[in-house]
Amino acid sequence: MLKRKRKNTDFNSVGQIMPRALNHLTKSPEYKLYLIRFYWESIVGKDIADHAVPKNFAFGTLHIGTSSSVWANNLLYMKFDILDKINNALQYKLIKDIHFTYGKNGSNKIISSRIKEKKNTKRILANTELSEAEMISVEKKCAAINDEDLAKYIKKVLIVNEKINKIKKQNNWHECKKCAALCAAEEDYCDNCRRELKNINYSQIRKILMTRPWARYGEIKNYVDNCSADMVNKARISLVQRMTINLKITSYDDIQLKTLIMLYKALPPEQINQKVVKENINRLKYDLIYNEMKKLMEKKGEN
């Protein structure tokens, strides 16, 4: 009589099993596309990000949708520069090739709406008239420019800028508390200063989480101004994702793995043991998939 083979439940090979399980997530196309989209503007800059969006990633090739065929053609000349920037930002060679598309495969509703808003802005500017005093102010600023062509160009730019500021003031815009640039009535800071302050806050939150991975919002808010629970959660998820990418496990007692679980579950060191690590490592995998798919669905809903 043949004996049934006993199922191997030995965890001696955990150093091989766990990295493989976690790497399965981090190597998925959806995860990689999410990372690229998440850091897209900081990688390529706002000008390019306004006209080009990562649409799909498969077999080492990133497909980028552009707002026009002109942008697709222009970005083609920057292909290798963008490729290097993405790989450097993600700290490993992810992208092997980039395809720029426009139309059915590359169209993007966000870009289309931005173009529409731009057209509306041009119409509003055309219908806005500057006063005599405002025009005199523009003329004075251009008076010292000797080059006639340059003076005309600068004058045109200044007129547009004056019109934009005039429209903003008519809509109750006020000076930013930090840089004195005009900002919306309901905001205290302009977009640039608000983004700068937000980045500073995120940086401070990440520093706290890196030294005290178990820290929660209730503690962190005492050290970071204008901190929110959502900001702490996003910073935590971001750090967990980064740690997961470079994770190398030798056992459930691995300090790197324990630190990851402390960060993931906001648990202090005294509550971390092998049982807690084992229970949470699979939950971490599925939570990461859920968070990434949620982000992708939100992006899809915006498009």
Side-chain angles (χ1 to χ4, degrees):
M1 184 177 177
L2 293 173
K3 289 185 178 180
R4 187 177 178 180
K5 259 189 180 179
R6 186 183 172 187
K7 189 175 180 180
N8 183 14
T9 56
D10 189 3
F11 279 89
N12 290 334
S13 59
V14 66
Q16 298 172 339
I17 295 171
M18 292 312 302
R20 191 162 61 245
L22 289 171
N23 285 337
H24 175 72
L25 167 66
T26 58
K27 289 180 180 178
S28 66
E30 293 86 359
Y31 180 80
K32 292 173 180 177
L33 181 61
Y34 164 73
L35 280 180
I36 295 168
R37 283 178 168 173
F38 186 82
Y39 295 107
W40 183 241
E41 186 172 322
S42 62
I43 292 172
V44 299
K46 190 176 185 306
D47 290 340
I48 292 177
D50 283 346
H51 293 277
V53 177
K55 303 293 293 184
N56 188 30
F57 175 77
F59 304 106
T61 300
L62 177 65
H63 297 266
I64 297 177
T66 61
S67 60
S68 70
S69 56
V70 175
W71 267 97
N73 187 59
N74 288 341
L75 290 176
L76 188 60
Y77 294 102
M78 302 170 64
K79 173 179 172 178
F80 294 106
D81 183 43
I82 293 173
L83 190 150
D84 288 340
K85 283 183 178 179
I86 294 172
N87 288 336
N88 289 336
L90 300 180
Q91 297 182 350
Y92 64 105
K93 193 173 181 180
L94 172 64
I95 308 298
K96 296 178 182 177
D97 196 12
I98 298 177
H99 289 171
F100 298 99
T101 57
Y102 173 68
K104 185 177 180 181
N105 294 325
S107 61
N108 185 284
K109 290 181 180 177
I110 294 177
I111 291 174
S112 299
S113 65
R114 284 174 180 162
I115 293 170
K116 188 175 180 181
E117 288 172 6
K118 191 173 181 180
K119 288 180 179 178
N120 290 337
T121 301
K122 286 183 177 180
R123 178 177 54 79
I124 294 168
L125 286 172
N127 294 329
T128 302
E129 297 291 337
L130 295 181
S131 67
E132 185 179 347
E134 289 167 336
M135 285 302 299
I136 291 172
S137 175
V138 170
E139 294 285 356
K140 284 182 178 179
K141 290 174 183 177
C142 299
I145 303 173
N146 296 323
D147 189 304
E148 188 177 342
D149 291 334
L150 179 61
K152 285 181 180 179
Y153 177 78
I154 297 297
K155 182 179 178 181
K156 185 179 178 180
V157 171
L158 290 174
I159 287 173
V160 171
N161 189 59
E162 284 291 333
K163 286 185 176 183
I164 290 172
N165 287 337
K166 188 170 186 175
I167 294 167
K168 287 179 176 179
K169 287 176 181 178
Q170 288 171 352
N171 287 277
N172 300 318
W173 283 46
H174 61 88
E175 289 187 353
C176 168
K177 287 184 176 180
K178 188 177 179 183
C179 70
L182 290 176
C183 59
E186 65 276 10
E187 301 290 348
D188 291 328
Y189 301 95
C190 67
D191 289 343
N192 289 336
C193 290
R194 193 163 61 250
R195 191 181 302 112
E196 183 182 334
L197 291 169
K198 191 174 181 180
N199 288 338
I200 291 171
N201 286 345
Y202 271 120
S203 178
Q204 291 175 340
I205 293 169
R206 282 193 292 267
K207 284 180 181 178
I208 292 172
L209 289 175
M210 287 172 72
T211 54
R212 295 174 60 85
W214 58 88
R216 294 176 180 268
Y217 166 66
E219 179 184 354
I220 295 173
K221 70 178 182 179
N222 296 322
Y223 302 96
V224 182
D225 293 333
N226 301 315
C227 174
S228 68
D230 184 59
M231 290 176 71
V232 172
N233 187 46
K234 285 181 178 178
R236 191 183 300 279
I237 291 172
S238 176
L239 286 174
V240 166
Q241 289 171 337
R242 290 192 181 193
M243 284 187 69
T244 305
I245 291 173
N246 300 313
L247 188 64
K248 293 180 181 178
I249 308 166
T250 54
S251 73
Y252 284 124
D253 287 321
D254 190 280
I255 187 65
Q256 190 180 15
L257 182 57
K258 286 183 175 181
T259 303
L260 177 61
I261 298 303
M262 277 190 276
L263 180 64
Y264 165 55
K265 298 300 290 183
L267 293 174
E270 59 269 20
Q271 293 183 26
I272 298 295
N273 52 50
Q274 274 199 10
K275 183 181 178 182
V276 172
V277 172
K278 288 180 183 179
E279 286 176 351
N280 285 288
I281 198 67
N282 281 328
R283 292 178 189 173
L284 168 61
K285 180 175 68 174
Y286 289 111
D287 276 0
L288 283 174
I289 292 173
Y290 171 77
N291 283 317
E292 288 148 15
M293 293 310 296
K294 184 180 177 183
K295 288 278 187 181
L296 290 173
M297 290 304 293
E298 286 174 355
K299 291 279 186 182
K300 188 175 180 181
E302 291 173 0
N303 290 349

